[in-house]
Amino acid sequence: MEEQSVNTRKLAAEKAVEYVKQGMIVGLGTGSTAYWAIQLLGSRVKQGLEIKSLATSTQSELMAHELGIPIITFAETDHLDITIDGADETDESLNLIKGGGGALLREKIVGSATEFYIIIADESKLVNHLGSFPLPVEVVQFGSELSFRKLQTLGCSPRLRLTNNKPFVTDNGHFIFDCACGYILEPDLLHQQLINIPGVVETGLFLNMADIVILGNKDGGTRIIRKQAT
């Protein structure tokens, strides 16, 4: 099953990197699916593709360095042509839950500066309603106990993310609460309620950001869901 999931994620990544053209500035996502996109871009760079990239995590930045992909920062640009990243859940309207890899704040910053935002995933990530995957919420360490209690008042069941029995700390020095909220029928409202809690830095609800979602299928193909014109 895991091998099949890896193959479907790689299929989605292969389709996504086709959108990357010479001279582009490319946002590099974080996580097991974005890993494949970075690897494939590294291969294309070795073959002569000239791009610059901006990473959403130290993990992805290190990988890019190892593969010879040039890295820049926001001191050198105010926009990206394309970002390729994964998602923990997506619905047909391209609402997303992200943050399972712990990089949601940087991912949202990069995504918001991107002209064409591509999400890649295997087909199991497509859901009717967001919420089966616990919603990551990034909070500052100071007063995190208070943030925890306020999250509870919204009907969520927060759980401090741990690594080796110690609090997981993001690249930004923050904690993450993984919140079991049940089906999220009004994601815009929930995001606003969460972001209004003092100490909450960002939520894993990525709404009206993705331009396309590419899903790898177990039959060896891909499905592309596009943002609906408004």
Short mmCIF file of all heavy atoms in Angstrom, two decimals, residues 20 29 92 135 227:
data_model
loop_
_atom_site.label_atom_id
_atom_site.label_comp_id
_atom_site.label_asym_id
_atom_site.label_seq_id
_atom_site.Cartn_x
_atom_site.Cartn_y
_atom_site.Cartn_z
N VAL A 20 6.98 23.81 -15.18
CA VAL A 20 8.15 24.63 -14.87
C VAL A 20 8.94 24.87 -16.16
O VAL A 20 9.35 23.94 -16.83
CB VAL A 20 9.03 23.97 -13.81
CG1 VAL A 20 10.28 24.80 -13.55
CG2 VAL A 20 8.25 23.76 -12.52
N GLY A 29 7.85 23.06 -2.08
CA GLY A 29 7.05 22.68 -0.93
C GLY A 29 7.82 21.79 0.03
O GLY A 29 9.02 21.55 -0.11
N GLU A 92 -13.18 19.33 -3.78
CA GLU A 92 -13.34 19.63 -5.20
C GLU A 92 -13.24 21.13 -5.48
O GLU A 92 -12.99 21.54 -6.61
CB GLU A 92 -14.69 19.10 -5.69
CG GLU A 92 -14.82 17.59 -5.72
CD GLU A 92 -14.19 16.94 -6.94
OE1 GLU A 92 -13.66 17.68 -7.80
OE2 GLU A 92 -14.21 15.70 -7.03
N LEU A 135 -6.63 19.44 11.86
CA LEU A 135 -6.20 20.73 11.33
C LEU A 135 -5.01 21.27 12.12
O LEU A 135 -5.14 21.54 13.32
CB LEU A 135 -7.37 21.72 11.40
CG LEU A 135 -7.05 23.16 11.01
CD1 LEU A 135 -6.65 23.24 9.54
CD2 LEU A 135 -8.24 24.06 11.31
N LYS A 227 -9.12 25.49 -10.57
CA LYS A 227 -9.92 26.51 -9.91
C LYS A 227 -11.02 26.97 -10.84
O LYS A 227 -10.81 27.23 -12.02
CB LYS A 227 -9.04 27.70 -9.51
CG LYS A 227 -9.79 28.81 -8.82
CD LYS A 227 -8.92 30.05 -8.63
CE LYS A 227 -7.85 29.82 -7.59
NZ LYS A 227 -7.09 31.07 -7.30
#
